[in-house]
Structure formats: C-alpha cells, structure tokens
Amino acid sequence: QLHLQESGPGLVKPSETLSLTCTVSGGSISSTSHFWGWIRQPPGKGLEWIASMYYSGSTYHNPSLKSRVTISVDTSKKQFSLKLTSVTAADTAVYYCGSQLAYYDTLTNSVGPQQVDYWGQGTLVIVSS
Amino acid sequence: DIQMTQSPSSLSASVGDRVTITCRSSQSISSNLNWYQQKPGKAPKLLIYAASSLQSGVPSRFSGSGSATDFTLTINSLQPEDFATYYCQQSYTPPFTFGPGTNVDIK
C-alpha cells in the first residue's frame, strides 16, 4: 500500500515560488501503475487538480496553471515535486500529493491518469507577506 | 474544461437513511467518474472509481451508477462515520475537474 507525505514551507511571499515535495513509500515511484500528481484545496472550498506526471516524463497539466507549474519526479529519492511560480493570495490552499492509477488505452495506444487512489495528508501553504 | 455539478449541495440525513447524490458533467465522460469522501481536516478518500467500481476496503453500502453525463452515488443505511463531504471527479480528459461537493450532515 502506497504512503505519500508532502513537505515544504508553509508560508510563501507573494510573487515568489511555492515548492513542495512528496515522498513515496510502500511502492516504486518508477512503477508503470501510477501517475504522480498534485491537487489543492483553498480553505473552505473545493478541490482543484493541478498536474500529474508519469515515470516516463509524460505530464498532464491544468491549463489554468500550466504556465506557472513545474512537476518533476526524482526516482532515486522516491520523490516528486511541485513548483508554482509567481504566487498570489489566491494560491493559498492545502496542497495534496496523490497517486493516480494509470490506464492504458489500447485504442489510442496511450496511457493516462485515472482515479486518485492514494493521497498524502495535505500541507497548508499560505501566501502572505 | 469539463464542468462538473453536484446536487444537492448539502443534505441532512439520519443514521440508517438511504442517501443519493447526483453528479452531472457538461459533456459525455463515458464511465470515467470517481467519487471521494472527505472529512474535515483530512485528505479525500476514494470510494468509487469508473462510475460503479467499489474501491478496495470501502463498505458495500456505498455504490455508484451512471454513464455519459449523469451519475449517482448511493449510500445505503447511512452510518455515523459517513457524515462528510462527497466529491465527484471526471478522469476522462484533463483538467480532471471535481464537482463542488455535497455535504452530508446529521439531521
């Protein structure tokens, strides 16, 4: 059973870069079975999917954030990371890392992320000066 | 982007009740619909994937149905631990959008 744990600063200044890391245990981050992704939730609001990445480097982004988001995987450390640039107060949220089950579509000969089956506990990031 | 809506936004129910939550997508998503339960201060938990498949370890009182644009989550015989917020999510095409949530509280 996978276990995911987020880490990173809880306070980021406006216009700076938010950087978070998720450490994976209980399974291989190089596995073909999962994408590794980020989801956020502003206080008192709903969930927003940010981006997901496959071990091969294939990445899916939310277009609303794509220009500011970088997601990467470090297989040697069993970690994946999120960088969100030029943050504003609107980026204040609980950030969750998660694993999305990979689904291979035989019709299109492609693999894509599906349900988030494992979640980290979440980390609150506040954007404030 | 595919827009997801849920109804009702909140409901009050009693232990033992049968509860039904509806999720609609702005375009057909086949059966690429997932349901999550979230309790205050906790991460969401996957309940149902692919519209009707029960995630391992989830009680059988939870069930899902639907396809294309209309989906339903049913909780048979609501238990005290089921009071939470429920979200649907489409995994048909990115961005993988979530519904706004349905809060189930105690009557």
Side-chain angles (χ1 to χ4, degrees):
Chain A
Q1 181 163 337
L2 290 173
H3 180 74
L4 287 76
Q5 178 70 56
E6 305 90 349
S7 59
L11 180 65
V12 181
K13 289 182 169 56
S15 79
E16 295 191 345
T17 296
L18 180 160
S19 296
L20 295 173
T21 297
C22 183
T23 302
V24 179
S25 58
S28 172
I29 202 169
S30 302
S31 169
T32 57
S33 64
H34 284 91
F35 280 74
W36 308 102
W38 295 91
I39 304 101
R40 70 180 183 179
Q41 185 172 37
K45 296 188 178 180
L47 298 159
E48 179 180 34
W49 174 81
I50 300 171
S52 297
M53 186 172 189
Y54 203 40
Y55 79 100
S56 62
S58 174
T59 305
Y60 294 82
H61 286 89
N62 189 325
S64 69
L65 297 167
K66 183 176 182 178
S67 64
R68 298 196 291 133
V69 166
T70 301
I71 183 171
S72 59
V73 175
D74 186 333
T75 55
S76 65
K77 294 182 178 179
K78 300 191 72 174
Q79 295 177 334
F80 61 101
S81 300
L82 171 71
K83 291 189 187 299
L84 180 65
T85 62
S86 306
V87 297
T88 69
D91 295 310
T92 293
V94 175
Y95 285 77
Y96 295 101
C97 61
S99 61
Q100 282 185 264
L101 204 68
Y103 173 75
Y104 182 71
D105 189 336
T106 54
L107 290 177
T108 61
N109 195 31
S110 65
V111 63
Q114 291 295 310
Q115 65 272 20
V116 183
D117 54 355
Y118 294 97
W119 297 71
Q121 66 183 25
T123 187
L124 175 62
V125 179
I126 297 172
V127 178
S128 175
S129 55
Chain B
D1 298 3
I2 295 176
Q3 306 303 315
M4 307 300 293
T5 59
Q6 288 181 235
S7 61
S9 57
S10 66
L11 66 90
S12 295
S14 300
V15 173
D17 284 354
R18 183 183 188 190
V19 167
T20 299
I21 299 168
T22 297
C23 176
R24 286 201 169 98
S25 55
S26 59
Q27 65 184 72
S28 177
I29 57 172
S30 186
S31 295
N32 297 100
L33 190 283
N34 312 303
W35 290 98
Y36 302 88
Q37 176 194 66
Q38 187 178 35
K39 296 181 180 179
K42 300 294 185 181
K45 171 188 174 183
L46 177 66
L47 300 175
I48 301 286
Y49 63 94
S52 60
S53 295
L54 190 68
Q55 174 69 357
S56 176
V58 174
S60 58
R61 62 181 180 273
F62 291 92
S63 64
S65 64
S67 64
T69 61
D70 293 299
F71 303 87
T72 299
L73 173 70
T74 300
I75 311 172
N76 283 304
S77 188
L78 197 69
Q79 296 300 299
E81 60 267 31
D82 300 337
F83 293 98
T85 300
Y86 293 84
Y87 293 94
C88 61
Q89 180 213 19
Q90 64 85 11
S91 49
Y92 181 73
T93 189
F96 302 112
T97 42
F98 290 85
T102 295
N103 183 54
V104 177
D105 63 18
I106 301 172
K107 183 184 287 185

